[in-house]
Structures are given as structure tokens and as C-alpha cells.
Amino acid sequence: MKGKQVLLTGGTGGLGLGVTPAVIAQGADVTIPYRSPKDVERLKGIISPADFARIHFIPANLEDEASVEKLVSRMTKVDVLIHLVGGFSKGKTHEYSFYDWKQEIDINLNTTFLTCKYSLKSMLENGYGRIVTVSSRAGAEPAGQLAAYSAAKAGVIALTKAIAKRSVGIADETKNTNITANTILPSVIDTPANRVGTPAEIADKWVKPESIAQVICFLASEAAKDVRGAAIPVYGNL
Ligand SMILES: NC(=O)c1ccc[n+]([C@@H]2O[C@H](COP(=O)([O-])OP(=O)(O)OC[C@H]3O[C@@H](n4cnc5c(N)ncnc54)[C@H](OP(=O)(O)O)[C@@H]3O)[C@@H](O)[C@H]2O)c1
């Protein structure tokens, strides 16, 4: 990723704490949209001042199309999109509010669509692109009380594959280009938020953000040019 323009969403979140330093270490030129200045400060606390100074932080709400369009227009181009943004809530379907359902689709699926849409425009102009989205184990293996989250993350898998895969009888989106799209399926990640109230002997078994970062960095690299439309489980031993 050396010298590549990377749009890294969710780079200040729990998974971002592992992914952002790894992407910076690759020599990439990184843009991170954010909403919470507190999370930017948290990231600042774990990376060197020199690396922190290399990141372009841009306030943006990725659920809003105009905001995403403006964000991408502020970058010279997008070579790599790493889309970590997402959110989680649970509840029994018959008790789950329609408002919460729409929120889950908004934060997980609609942000993925919007960032892919505007990044792809830039990638197609330049003939190069790497898209890495984040689904979840629940997207491939839906579970009780996770209907909205599972449906949204299944949508992320479908969207990513649709961008990457050959189409039947109509024009492919990325065939014969050096543009790839892949998604990863984490199970439970060892983030600060997940650790709250969890005994260490359980949390210690969760997959570390730094480990997931290695998978993401490979998919985002030149070396992964022949990996297209994959949904890669990163479950560790869970
Ligand atoms: N944590 C897990 O165990 C787990 C397991 C499987 C999959 N995943 C997936 O992994 C990804 C990262 O999870 P995480 O644990 O790092 O979540 P997180 O700590 O909640 O971080 C999510 C990030 O997304 C940002 N964000 C949310 N909505 C946004 C919006 N509308 N516009 C701009 N930024 C927005 C948040 O910024 P603000 O705080 O500023 O809103 C935050 O930086 C998600 O897609 C999640 O679904 C997580």
C-alpha cells in the first residue's frame, strides 16, 4: 500500500485501533472520516506523533450520501477502501423496533454501499482499486436475536461479491480491471467496548484487532490481485 491513497473508515473505532497502525506502517496515505473527536484522541494515544500527523481526519457521517460524496471529493483519488464502520444491536424479532432495524441497515449496509459507490467511481477512472469491507460471522451464519445485524451483514457480503464477481449476460462491474472487492467475517473481536464487563479469561480468547489487520492489509495489497469476491472467516479458535 506504499504511496496509495487509502480511505479507512472506522479507523478510530475498536477494530481501527489495530488496523490504523498497520495501514500506516505500510506507507499508505490515510484518510479517516470520524464523528467522535474523543475517538480521535484515543487513537492519538496509541500511535506515534509522526504517524498521527500523517493521517487526514475528516468529519463525516457515512450514512448521508452528500457527506460521503464530499469526503471522497476531498481526496485526490481512492486507491484503497477499507470500510470498518458498522454497529451492533440485538433483540428478539417480535420485540425489535422498526427504528432499530433501519438503524442497523443504515450503519452496516448503507454506509458500505455509499463508500463503495463513491470509491468505485474513482477506482474505475484510475483502473486500480482494492475494496475491503467488514461483514461478520453473523452475516454468514445468522443467529437468534441478531436478525437485523445478520441481515445487514449478509447484505454486506452480497454487495461486496456483486462488485467483484462476473455477471450473467450483463456488463461486469470490475472484470478486466485491477479492482478487487473482498469482505472479512470476524467473530468476536477483542475491543475495549467488548471487554467491558467480560472476564479476562474469556476476552483473552477473542481475535485481536492486530490479527484482523494483517488479513485486511493483505486483501488491500497488490499481492491480493487474484482474490476477488471472497468472504473470509477470521474466527480464531472461536
Ligand atoms: N466488535 C466485534 O466484536 C465485531 C465482530 C464482528 C464484526 N464486527 C464489525 O467490525 C467493524 C468494526 O467494529 P468495532 O468493534 O471497531 O466497532 P466500533 O468500535 O463501534 O467502531 C465503529 C466505528 O464506526 C464509526 N461510525 C459509526 N457510524 C458512523 C457513521 N455514520 N459515520 C461515520 N463513522 C461512523 C464510529 O465512529 P463514531 O464513534 O465517531 O460514531 C467508530 O469509529 C464493524 O463493521 C462491526 O460490525 C465487529
Side-chain angles (χ1 to χ4, degrees):
M1 272 186 279
K2 191 164 177 50
K4 296 281 191 245
Q5 298 288 325
V6 178
L7 176 54
L8 171 56
T9 79
T12 60
L15 177 56
L17 295 176
V19 174
T20 301
V23 174
I24 289 280
Q26 303 272 325
D29 189 348
V30 180
T31 296
I32 297 182
Y34 73 96
R35 292 191 307 187
S36 157
K38 220 171 79 198
D39 285 356
V40 176
E41 285 304 306
R42 181 176 67 169
L43 181 67
K44 194 176 182 179
I46 64 145
I47 58 179
S48 72
D51 283 347
F52 186 78
R54 284 178 44 213
I55 302 172
H56 312 280
F57 289 100
I58 299 180
N61 174 11
L62 303 186
E63 292 167 33
D64 177 68
E65 181 162 13
S67 184
V68 176
E69 186 173 17
K70 192 166 161 206
L71 165 71
V72 171
S73 75
R74 288 181 65 181
M75 298 176 66
T76 49
K77 59 178 178 162
V78 182
D79 296 309
V80 176
L81 167 65
I82 299 171
H83 182 66
L84 307 183
V85 161
F88 173 85
S89 74
K90 62 180 178 180
K92 292 179 182 168
T93 302
H94 73 282
E95 292 167 353
Y96 201 74
S97 76
F98 188 40
Y99 176 83
D100 287 344
W101 171 273
K102 287 188 278 193
Q103 288 278 106
E104 280 299 285
I105 303 293
D106 263 344
I107 192 170
N108 288 297
L109 182 55
N110 291 346
T111 62
T112 311
F113 165 69
L114 289 172
T115 50
C116 285
K117 173 179 172 175
Y118 287 97
S119 300
L120 261 174
K121 282 180 191 242
S122 170
M123 290 172 181
L124 287 165
E125 273 168 26
N126 296 299
Y128 182 91
R130 294 284 178 273
I131 293 175
V132 186
T133 62
V134 179
S135 177
S136 166
R137 184 174 199 158
E141 303 169 25
Q145 297 214 31
L146 295 183
Y149 182 70
S150 300
K153 289 300 196 184
V156 171
I157 298 172
L159 167 63
T160 309
K161 290 190 176 202
I163 292 166
K165 294 279 188 183
R166 73 182 178 84
S167 54
V168 186
I170 48 173
D172 299 302
E173 297 200 26
T174 52
K175 195 179 173 188
N176 299 326
T177 69
N178 192 357
I179 300 171
T180 69
N182 296 286
T183 193
I184 60 158
L185 316 176
S187 49
V188 186
I189 307 172
D190 185 4
T191 63
N194 280 344
R195 278 220 166 226
V196 174
T198 307
E201 61 268 27
I202 293 174
D204 287 346
K205 295 192 178 118
W206 293 335
V207 180
K208 308 286 173 249
E210 295 77 12
S211 172
I212 296 173
Q214 296 309 309
V215 180
I216 290 175
C217 284
F218 171 68
L219 292 173
S221 73
E222 305 254 5
K225 69 179 169 44
D226 293 322
V227 185
R228 291 167 183 245
I232 300 178
V234 195
Y235 301 165
N237 281 315
L238 296 178

